[in-house]
Amino acid sequence: MTRNDFMKCAVGICSCAAFTLMPESTQAESGSAEMDALKWKLDAAQKRFAILVGILNERLDEPTRKAIFESLGRQCARQYSELIGQYKGNLSGFLDEIQKRWVATAEYDEKAGTIRVVDRSKTCTCPLVNESLTPQSFCDCTLGWQKETYSAILGRTVDAELEESILRGGSRCVFRMQARS
């Protein structure tokens, strides 16, 4: 650790513990110790998060666990309030925007009141997820994200279901939302 790194740690800008706990072989293999430390932290956080999801699966009844994960997803969606707010009342504009940024297709059947979104990514896009470790029940989080987002845009309650999910063995994530009357 350089003197500058130590000084950053002294004022709380980084985590000395994570750097010092990272295996020395990992620190030495790269020219960027800071990047290695961040990768190590992410990996450790994903592993610990997967364990937490497993514990919640074991200790909570399904409706309670689903409600917790859905609440987490809703909170996550609120982090995009600026983007979502731009499209309140303009579903087609939002669907166009997300097709530019994130999704392969986004379809709205106005007559049926359904929205179908097919994600573009071939991996789970949640930074908390390690696909080989995270239990598939965590997909309930993304349903909360979908409900919060589309309810805010449409100005009414939306139900969401998962047609396909990477964590549940699918090749992509596909969501179907239904606006309540």
Side-chain angles (χ1 to χ4, degrees):
M1 179 181 298
T2 67
R3 182 177 186 282
N4 284 344
D5 290 335
F6 177 78
M7 292 308 292
K8 287 178 186 176
C9 286
V11 295
I13 296 174
C14 75
S15 173
C16 287
F19 184 81
T20 57
L21 291 174
M22 187 174 61
E24 285 183 36
S25 60
T26 303
Q27 293 176 32
E29 289 172 4
S30 171
S32 174
E34 220 172 298
M35 183 59 76
D36 287 345
L38 289 173
K39 287 177 184 177
W40 182 86
K41 283 182 180 183
L42 177 60
D43 185 53
Q46 288 175 336
K47 287 176 184 174
R48 193 153 306 145
F49 183 76
I51 292 167
L52 174 62
V53 172
I55 291 168
L56 293 174
N57 285 341
E58 292 171 7
R59 298 198 177 212
L60 298 174
D61 60 87
E62 186 176 359
T64 301
R65 180 192 38 77
K66 282 184 174 199
I68 289 169
F69 289 154
E70 182 178 313
S71 293
L72 179 60
R74 286 179 178 275
Q75 288 295 324
C76 181
R78 290 179 189 132
Q79 293 177 14
Y80 296 89
S81 61
E82 187 176 312
L83 173 66
I84 294 166
Q86 294 176 35
Y87 293 100
K88 282 189 178 183
N90 180 7
L91 178 62
S92 63
F94 182 73
L95 297 179
D96 289 343
E97 182 64 25
I98 65 172
Q99 285 182 102
K100 291 176 193 168
R101 293 183 185 218
W102 302 304
V103 304
T105 62
E107 305 158 351
Y108 177 51
D109 181 338
E110 190 171 2
K111 187 175 181 180
T114 60
I115 304 161
R116 186 170 186 269
V117 175
V118 178
D119 200 337
R120 170 184 313 160
S121 181
K122 300 296 180 196
T123 61
C124 182
T125 58
C126 178
L128 299 173
V129 169
N130 175 319
E131 292 170 22
S132 65
L133 299 175
T134 306
Q136 58 186 250
S137 62
F138 187 63
C139 291
D140 291 324
C141 179
T142 195
L143 293 176
W145 195 98
Q146 304 297 329
K147 289 176 183 181
E148 183 70 22
T149 299
Y150 291 98
S151 293
I153 291 168
L154 294 173
R156 58 185 173 166
T157 303
V158 171
D159 294 317
E161 67 180 67
L162 197 53
E163 288 183 12
E164 187 177 343
S165 145
I166 292 167
L167 281 183
R168 295 179 181 177
S171 62
R172 61 195 179 164
C173 292
V174 181
F175 309 96
R176 179 178 302 278
M177 282 63 68
Q178 176 75 47
R180 291 189 195 167
S181 301

